[in-house]
Every structure is written in structure tokens, then in C-alpha cells.
Amino acid sequence: MALAKGMRPEPSPQIPKVGVGIVCLRGQDVLLIRRAKPPKQGEWSLPGGRLEWGETLQAAALRELREETGVSAKLTGLIDVVDGLFRDGQGALRDHYVLVDYAARWLSGEPIGASDALEARFFSLEAIDELGLWAETARVIRAGVATQALSY
């Protein structure tokens, strides 16, 4: 349908992106990746990424874990759903993610950074405080540890 002369097209609606994250524990150590892409490029974060069309959230979490780290795990529960609202330097909303975070127990594989991850490795819970994590990531990790403790 053509627009009448002088009319402007309606702007596209902004739609949040759905993503998954996974708190994968090996003993008391948590698996983190150093992000290769925005948002939070270069920072340590949970393995995870965007949900693909036709994929379940749980399948996406396990796929992203394998793709980014080479690690296999068993999901043990849902931790939380988090809004990731990321702003530009002027404070304007740049990205809106709805992040569904799962807890998991490591099964196999030694972490190696792949796909969207520059690095991947396990950290002690004490060490994560020194990494400058996004506050929501640190909170979700601690909630995931508590969820794991209940699942044993």
C-alpha cells in the first residue's frame, strides 16, 4: 500500500529480544564467558544468547552453553527472568532484553571460548566479586547457587 503524498511511514515498534542465560556450576565454581559482542562486550557474563524461532527456552540455554563454551550440563531449575535495559551514553534506551536464567550442573567438557565468547572458564564464588559483573548477573549467580543447593 502506497503512502499518500506528504505522509511518513509509521516507525517500527520496538520489541524486546528474548534471551537465555545459564548458571552452570561445577562443584561450587561457576562458568563465565568474556563477551565478544555487545551488549557488555569484553565483560564477564553468563553463557547465553538469543532464543531462536521454534526453540524452547531450555533447549536454547543448553545450545548456547555448548556453542559458547563446549560444556554440557543438566538443567536443574529456573532461577529468574530479568529485564536487561541497556542505554547509550546519552541515557536513551539502546536495547531491551528479556533474559530467562536457568541453573545447571556441569556434566562434561573443559570450557573454551567459542562462538560469541572470547574466553570461558570456571570461577570460584569469591572470585566473581572481583570481576565487575553487572549487578543482575551477580545476583542471578547467587540465586543459582541457592537453587543448586536445594536440588541435591
Side-chain angles (χ1 to χ4, degrees):
M1 173 177 182
L3 292 173
K5 188 173 183 175
M7 291 185 65
R8 292 185 176 186
E10 295 269 336
S12 305
Q14 296 296 315
I15 300 172
K17 301 166 186 120
V18 178
V20 293
I22 190 163
V23 176
C24 180
L25 295 175
R26 181 168 68 181
Q28 289 298 304
D29 294 341
V30 63
L31 180 58
L32 297 176
I33 59 138
R34 188 181 302 267
R35 296 185 55 83
K37 298 179 181 177
K40 308 264 181 215
Q41 183 175 6
E43 296 181 23
W44 288 100
S45 185
L46 293 172
R50 288 177 65 176
L51 182 67
E52 294 180 358
W53 181 258
E55 184 177 42
T56 67
L57 290 163
Q58 292 178 343
L62 292 172
R63 174 187 52 77
E64 286 287 347
L65 179 67
R66 271 189 321 275
E67 287 178 2
E68 291 185 346
T69 70
V71 165
S72 294
K74 177 183 178 185
L75 295 181
T76 58
L78 175 67
I79 300 170
D80 203 354
V81 178
V82 175
D83 282 299
L85 301 173
F86 301 104
R87 300 187 179 279
D88 64 19
Q90 287 74 44
L93 188 60
R94 185 187 70 227
D95 286 307
H96 180 182
Y97 289 88
V98 176
L99 305 168
V100 182
D101 292 309
Y102 288 96
R105 240 184 267 140
W106 173 87
L107 293 176
S108 65
E110 288 304 315
I112 183 164
S115 180
D116 295 339
L118 297 172
E119 295 180 66
R121 64 180 185 174
F122 283 97
F123 289 88
S124 70
L125 293 177
E126 296 78 29
I128 67 168
D129 293 332
E130 306 302 319
L131 297 175
L133 298 177
W134 179 37
E136 279 298 288
T137 299
R139 184 188 66 76
V140 165
I141 289 170
R142 297 200 189 294
V145 170
T147 299
Q148 290 281 35
L150 296 174
S151 71
Y152 282 107

